[in-house]
Amino acid sequence: MASVSVPRTAAGILRRPTATTGVWSWFTTVDHKKIGIMYGVAAFAFFLIGGLEALLIRAQLAGPELSVVNADQYNQLFTMHGVTMIFLFVMPMAAAFFNYLIPLQIGARDVAFPRLNAFSFWVFLLGGLFLYSSWFLGGAPNGGWFGYAPNSTTDPSVGMSFYALGLLITGIASAASAVNLAVTVINMRAPGMSLFRVPIFTWMGLVVQFLLVFSLPIITVALFQLLFDRRWDTAFFDPTRGGDPILWQHMFWLFGHPEVYILILPAFGIISEILPVFSRKPLFGYQFVVFSGIAIGFIGFGVWAHHMYAAGLGPVANTAFGISTAIIAVPTGVKIFNWMATMYGGDLRFRSPMLYVVGAIMMFVIGGLSGVMHSVVPSDYQQTDTYFIVAHFHYVIFGGGVFAFFAGLVFWWPKVFGRMLSERLAKIQFWIMLVGFNLTFGPMHVLGMQGMIRRSFTYPEALGLTFWNQMATVGSYLIAVAVLVFIANVVITQRKPKGLDDEDPWDARSLEWTTSSPPPEHNFDEIPTVHALDEFWHRKYVEDERGRVVRVPAGAAPDHDPARGGGSGHAIHLPSPSFWPLVAAIGLPVMGYGVLYSWWVLALGALVTVVGLYGWALEPSVAEEA
Amino acid sequence: MAAVEHAVEHETTTGLPNTKLAMWLFLASECLLFGALISAYVLYRGADPLDGPTPADVFDIPYTSVSAFVLLASSLTMVLALSAAQRDDAVRMRLWLLTTAMLGMIFVGGQVYEFTTFYNEGLTVDVNLFGTTFYVLTGFHGVHVTVGILMLLSLVGMSLAGRLPADAAFPVEMVGLYWHFVDIVWIVIFTVVYLIPTGTAG
Amino acid sequence: MKSKARWTRSWPLALVLAALALSACSDPNLPQNTFAPAGPVARKQADLFWPVFWVAVGVFLVVEGGIVWMAIRFRHRRDRDRFPAQIHGNSRLEVGWTILPAVVIAVIMVPTVSLIWDLARPAGAGALNVTAEGHQWWWGFRYTDEDMRTSYDQPIVTADVLVIPVGRDVSLSLESAGGLIGGGPEQADYAVIHSFWVPRLAGKQDVVPGRTNRLVLRADEPGTYWGQCAEFCGLQHAQMRFRVVALPQAEWERWVANQKRPAVTPTDPEARRGMDLFLNGVSGGGQCIACHAVGGTEAASPAGPNLTHFADPTHECFAGCIWETSDRAALEEWLRNPTQAKLGSKMPDYNLTEDEIDALVAYLYSLT
């Protein structure tokens, strides 16, 4: 390192960026907090787009045989709705929370590989934009998020090629981010933070990263096979040449079911983190909750074929997967009982994050129960591919996941932005969303059992499905209103001057609240030493001899001084901003277009990425001080 | 790429460098990638080719055995490179890295030649499932070897330009991990694809 | 004592829920209602659904009721600033509520597994064998039994409507029958995955190209049972519908006898003209017989729906069962512009003249 005298760049064209403020700094930042915010903003934008697609879908289904959109447009809408919500909203929104919070919760200054972190974000964003460019280049993906071959390999529109390439690109982002965050949690914890002092949210984050590391390669191979079948006429899923379409299903769901837990475990983490704060009790059975999360992760790899009961795998497979599906309900149930026990005997303060968290638990229970019903294979023959399933997974992913995300947003907003969201508006939003959500997805259970299939752009009046469909449509627009309330809340809040009356507005428990809000760029002036689970709480309170909780007098705990976080921290070497992750990321969608259109473009994209990687490799991670 | 992200590494919780941990996680992920590719090959092996050549028609086992041996030998030279790096012997390190890269190039060159021959004998990616699974599996491996060669050559280049960190053995060790992994994968592929008879031979 | 209060409060809720659930179910006027089973397979599936449903309702009431009760009982009160007892866990309790759901699930799994194997049994002797073929986007049915061959030595083939005898097992072989037919990629009928579903008779079974899946079903009462493809199969997946018509024995025998006869040759001149167009091509050069078969004529292509007995009363609907066969205007509109009437339909637009449409409709309606 000593040999590097000037912050040289490989080509000498780009001067190393140094600014940490201003618009440009966002493009070159390697700060996990800024990257976390960008993940959040991008994911929320995709949430709005995916939501608009959902509103169009509900408009089309508001009555029998409507023609708001035609069959072709509808197929693109529901496919993009699913792909967007799963890959471009829930996963990156979870990544936003992980990125921002994990280093703070474990007392680290950043993630293990800050530039790789920036690379992950840019690849995700560009991959999402690549997918959406398909609307203008011959049609969006139209074969469902599950992309069943051979429909997906034979469809004449270019859409499913965008699907394969887009998901490959965002998969690279997820894989890089997963390795990065897993290493961060394993290797960068503050002194004293043993594994069982790691905050529960970070624990669930770690499980998710491992799920990603082991499930993404499988979908990667499947997507390549799909792409090659489409683009170069390989025979992987072509039955006329002996290929087996069921192979795609196995590979897709071998990824796809762990993916379900990738989507929901972050929510479990948020719930487990927030519930104790507002119950004013520690999480009941912390170790049990950790182990149940790990168990869910493991068993999640063994249930994939419950998506395929009707595919004709035979009674042996259906029995095995029915039983494994039932078993996964056990660790899930453990979590819910532990949450209930956390609330039991507590001093429950229903501030807005608590409302969302309790709402999330209650909605998730409904989705969980309908999920257990999927282990009952013979009755699932009736339910599969109907709106019963649509109802089920929206109760899990929206009811459990999105409600928990809003809980997390309201709860950590002061930490991230130094401003409190309006409690009033947050609560109004909660109640509108709760009603709208149940009105939308509750009736879908009935619709499914009364014979409404999924992915259907129309239904005849004679099926008698009109009433509940109308209810669902009304509900979906209520959800839209709730989201607008949230946006209004954000706009109003961000216009207020920065500053919190109370640096610890919720009487929180974990390490991220020991630093200032928002935290300084280096997170902690001094890396904290951890003595307990719920470290921050234990700095504020002690139990006396009779087990009563007593507040530590201010100033008595030398470690606790939130205001101190704003110190200069000039002696700390943080990784410097860099262009190269962005450059390397730009090459990937270019390569994607190359696969579709021209070898030259493919080569150009590869060149851009390689140049980016070399620039990255040759640049020291910390620039020499001028 | 991961091999050079080591610049600022503080004391870690486990005592292992972050980069090494990341490399192991990455390789674990890669195991599943090749596992899925090999599974696809195995699931379709022996399927009656409606058209086009079978493995027995095209494979030249002695030829491929030689190139497999070359790749295996490169693992040995990789070890020698690391050992030289640990002794701060930059000259020998570069020499062995170059040798490793050369052996890798011989392997990839052999693969290109093999593909060309097979192609001329009528085995294309779209002619039958054997062609599809064979080219995609061995092609993915070939791309991995090529990336490895680029990393090896980059190490040599950086070493010559004096841009390797003081602890040069570390990046060499990381690239070495990757290189050995790619070699081991080839042992599996070679065994599964070339050595185990398919049953429909003849 | 407190749990007692919870229970007394939950019962009315349970009753309301029960009433709601029951009112939603078992309405046979909804043609695809899984709660109104009309055959043993669907009935067994529904009979398994309900007990599991009530178990779920029980868990729902305990958990959700518990949460709501705690939210009220343990809510923060202004006059109190106590810290609750700091309980970190209780291993015995936690092991308990790990075992409890495991037991509940084990109980549910017993009838589940037994029914999986029950439903997987092949049909007994005496079952009617039919091959159901999924196309993009309509269903064809081929009766493969020896005694179901026509006088012109072909199996009986129908499109859009599967006709079965009441009270007899029907053993279905499910095949994806698409294959390339002329035209460009837009016009090709690809062999893709479909799923055969008649909610009131049986749960789904997928139709997978390259495989033959089986499904046994039976109708206990005469009637028409609606079904549709349940696995996304491309552009018009939503309009890949079909019906199962279950006939009493006497009617069934009459139907079989009629199906065995070749198509009638119409005597009405308009219909005769239609037959000529059908067999010899229309003015734009289009050939109906490129895809369609009419038994007893030279039209024998299996690519499109078989039209031999198009106007038989059991053939209630056409083009993926999105129109009633009796709806003359719909039939005309379909012939006028098939790819617009059903967007992306594989039936090509032959630019028929109004005159030709009238003749063809007359011909089709003569095919009883």
Side-chain angles (χ1 to χ4, degrees), chain A residues 1 3 8 112-116 179 182-183 186-189 210 213-214 217-218 220-221 224-225 228 232-236 240-244 247 251 613-614 616-618 621-622, chain B residues 1 4-5 7-9 12-19 21-22 25-26 28-29 32-33 36-37 40 43-44 50 125-129 132-133 136 140 150 154 158 162-163 165-166:
Chain A
M1 256 199 302
S3 64
R8 287 182 286 178
F113 307 101
R115 287 179 294 176
L116 186 63
V179 168
V183 172
I186 294 171
N187 232 12
M188 299 187 64
R189 282 168 281 141
F210 272 98
V213 165
F214 291 116
I218 302 169
T220 302
V221 169
F224 270 118
Q225 292 172 341
F228 292 164
W232 289 294
D233 202 23
T234 55
F236 285 108
T240 61
R241 281 175 288 170
D244 188 354
L247 177 64
M251 295 184 72
L613 292 177
Y614 270 97
W616 179 344
L618 293 173
S621 79
V622 180
Chain B
M1 148 188 98
V4 284
E5 184 82 51
V8 212
E9 277 186 359
T12 61
T13 312
T14 59
L16 289 169
N18 286 343
T19 306
L21 207 53
L25 277 172
F26 169 69
S29 192
L32 275 111
L33 184 98
L37 286 165
L43 281 170
Y44 285 147
L50 305 170
V125 285
D126 56 355
V127 70
N128 59 23
L129 274 173
T132 290
T133 52
V136 172
F140 261 92
L150 285 176
S154 304
M158 285 167 78
R163 303 198 51 171

Side-chain angles (χ1 to χ4, degrees), chain C residues 40-60:
Chain C
V41 178
R43 188 166 301 115
K44 283 174 189 168
Q45 289 165 340
D47 287 348
L48 186 58
F49 173 86
W50 285 112
V52 176
F53 174 77
W54 288 116
V55 170
V57 168
V59 176
F60 174 87

Side-chain angles (χ1 to χ4, degrees), chain C residues 45-113:
Chain C
Q45 289 165 340
D47 287 348
L48 186 58
F49 173 86
W50 285 112
V52 176
F53 174 77
W54 288 116
V55 170
V57 168
V59 176
F60 174 87
L61 289 175
V62 172
V63 173
E64 307 282 47
I67 292 173
V68 170
W69 172 73
M70 287 192 294
I72 297 164
R73 170 70 181 75
F74 297 116
R75 73 187 185 281
H76 174 68
R77 293 187 175 85
R78 242 173 254 282
D79 55 341
R80 178 180 66 188
D81 196 24
R82 68 174 177 93
F83 246 100
Q86 300 290 298
I87 299 158
H88 292 267
N90 179 328
S91 303
R92 205 173 297 171
L93 261 179
E94 289 166 69
V95 169
W97 63 52
T98 309
I99 293 171
L100 185 74
V103 170
V104 172
I105 274 158
V107 170
I108 292 175
M109 278 297 110
V110 173
T112 297
V113 172

Side-chain angles (χ1 to χ4, degrees), chain C residues 118-134:
Chain C
D118 180 22
L119 295 180
R121 267 205 302 269
L128 176 71
N129 288 292
V130 181
T131 298
E133 299 175 336

Side-chain angles (χ1 to χ4, degrees), chain A residues 25-74:
Chain A
S25 75
W26 290 91
F27 287 93
T28 59
T29 187
V30 295
D31 177 356
H32 74 98
K33 296 180 291 300
K34 279 189 165 174
I35 291 171
I37 291 170
M38 289 198 291
Y39 259 117
V41 171
F44 192 78
F46 281 120
F47 174 59
L48 296 181
I49 297 171
L52 285 175
E53 285 156 358
L55 292 179
L56 276 169
I57 289 171
R58 283 318 317 168
Q60 166 69 14
L61 296 179
E65 290 169 53
L66 296 185
S67 42
V68 177
V69 293
N70 66 27
D72 185 28
Q73 292 157 339
Y74 185 90

Side-chain angles (χ1 to χ4, degrees), chain C residues 179-189 291:
Chain C
L180 291 167
I181 44 164
E186 309 275 342
Q187 211 116 66
D189 170 16
C291 297

